[in-house]
Amino acid sequence: MDALPESCVSSILSFTSPAETCRLSLVCSTFLSAAESDVTWARFLPPDHVGIVSCSAASVKFSSKKELFLRLCDRPLLTHGGRKSFKLERSSGTVSYILSARELSIKWSDDPTRWIWKTQPESRFKEVAELRSNDRIEIEGRIETKDLSRNTLYGAHLIFKVSDRAFGLDLMPSETSVEMGNRVRPGTARLQRPDQRKRRLESLLYANRSEMLRKHWETEGDRRGGGAPDEREDGWMEVELGEFLIGSGGEGDGELKMSLKQVKGYQLKGGLVVEGVEVRPKNLVH
């Protein structure tokens, strides 16, 4: 192996993965040197990484492609005026994005009687959106598939919190979907785990109508596999909006739409705090 030119070894390593390159660097001195080269690590960075870094809200300093790669894995970049967060997955180099609430289309979010925009100390973004009171929730995010990694199964996740004064969110599941071209994957998700005490209070207010809606949606949710929210490592909650596969070629590039809606039942609801929508490779823990 030591007889191979370092440039040749660098090219070979660039067709593996970041994790495999780190393991192979232990084989011999030639591999160790090649595993540090810009030729190798440039292939692990997105093709448009120069443009991504230039859109960063803060200056990004690095002395090598490997240093830049590790920087993008360990410290997500805020880009596009702080409205998006960009990150790489360390073992494979696959791309993840979080679209902030300001980057989403939230119906009636410009009406301060229904939604308010506020700062949240634990949020990675400048602002989050909180539902004050409305009978409908309609949230949609969009991203270009060319900005994501090839040959990767992705999941889209709504990132949110539920305030202490929330109401009406656990009455029925929300309808979710991911849409790419003419392919639509519908589903359901719950924004809140059932609270029996609150349900008893709601039943006093809404009586039979509330119970009828709940029974209908519990049956519908069971049939369609409505998911409960999960707690993230960053302290927020998330529900999956759906999954989609990015293929190997660019012929299918286009816009991906992700949505969550709660438009049936006409019950008032409030206390939903939306940070954004994350698009990340499946099987990653956040």
Side-chain angles (χ1 to χ4, degrees):
M1 289 293 183
D2 287 332
L4 288 173
E6 182 182 314
S7 60
C8 179
V9 177
S10 295
S11 296
I12 293 172
L13 292 180
S14 71
F15 286 96
T16 61
S17 69
E20 290 170 336
T21 292
C22 291
R23 286 194 293 269
L24 290 170
S25 68
L26 304 175
V27 170
C28 63
S29 58
T30 302
F31 272 53
L32 177 60
S33 179
E36 298 292 322
S37 77
D38 280 354
V39 172
T40 299
W41 290 93
R43 285 289 297 266
F44 300 148
L45 290 165
D48 58 341
H49 66 272
V50 174
I52 293 171
V53 171
S54 68
C55 289
S56 173
S59 176
V60 180
K61 297 180 179 180
F62 57 94
S63 59
S64 67
K65 297 293 187 180
K66 181 180 180 180
E67 184 180 348
L68 175 60
F69 178 89
L70 296 177
R71 164 67 173 78
L72 296 177
C73 293
D74 296 336
R75 287 181 288 162
L77 282 186
L78 286 180
T79 65
H80 299 81
R83 294 165 69 104
K84 295 182 181 180
S85 175
F86 171 87
K87 184 180 180 180
L88 295 179
E89 199 275 314
R90 182 183 286 266
S91 66
S92 64
T94 50
V95 168
S96 295
Y97 271 101
I98 300 179
L99 311 180
S100 70
R102 279 293 188 188
E103 192 70 13
L104 305 177
S105 172
I106 303 177
K107 197 165 186 180
W108 296 296
S109 61
D110 57 348
D111 182 349
T113 66
R114 306 189 194 201
W115 289 85
I116 57 171
W117 292 92
K118 66 178 190 178
T119 58
Q120 191 99 347
E122 61 271 28
S123 175
R124 72 209 83 212
F125 298 115
K126 183 178 179 181
E127 291 180 297
V128 298
E130 180 172 355
L131 177 64
R132 298 187 67 183
S133 180
N134 199 24
D135 61 354
R136 298 164 70 91
I137 298 174
E138 297 185 54
I139 301 170
E140 183 182 275
R142 302 183 180 210
I143 191 169
E144 294 292 328
T145 57
K146 64 180 177 59
D147 295 334
L148 303 175
S149 299
R150 303 295 182 193
N151 297 314
T152 303
L153 179 65
Y154 276 93
H157 306 261
L158 179 72
I159 305 174
F160 67 98
K161 285 190 175 184
V162 175
S163 71
D164 293 336
R165 57 184 180 275
F167 58 93
L169 296 176
D170 63 344
L171 181 62
M172 62 182 68
S174 300
E175 298 176 74
T176 64
S177 72
V178 291
E179 179 180 346
M180 195 162 53
N182 58 0
R183 293 169 290 172
V184 180
R185 295 177 65 98
T188 61
R190 292 187 178 275
L191 295 173
Q192 199 173 15
R193 296 182 184 276
D195 184 321
Q196 297 305 322
R197 183 180 63 84
K198 288 177 63 177
R199 284 194 165 185
R200 285 194 294 271
L201 292 174
E202 285 178 350
S203 67
L204 294 175
L205 294 173
Y206 302 128
N208 293 337
R209 183 167 181 265
S210 175
E211 190 62 25
M212 179 180 66
L213 286 169
R214 184 176 295 119
K215 285 182 177 179
H216 167 74
W217 280 100
E218 283 178 346
T219 302
E220 185 73 6
D222 289 342
R223 192 173 79 239
R224 296 174 63 183
D230 294 314
E231 187 170 355
R232 294 165 53 93
E233 291 182 348
D234 57 16
W236 290 80
M237 303 294 291
E238 69 176 22
V239 290
E240 185 173 296
L241 305 179
E243 63 180 36
F244 55 95
L245 178 67
I246 302 296
S248 58
E251 66 279 355
D253 282 346
E255 189 176 58
L256 173 76
K257 301 177 185 178
M258 309 152 285
S259 69
L260 179 141
K261 298 179 180 180
Q262 200 176 105
V263 297
K264 298 177 181 179
Y266 300 103
Q267 298 290 350
L268 286 177
K269 49 191 73 70
L272 175 67
V273 181
V274 178
E275 190 192 30
V277 168
E278 181 173 33
V279 177
R280 69 171 187 260
K282 296 281 284 188
N283 301 323
L284 294 184
V285 178
H286 282 247

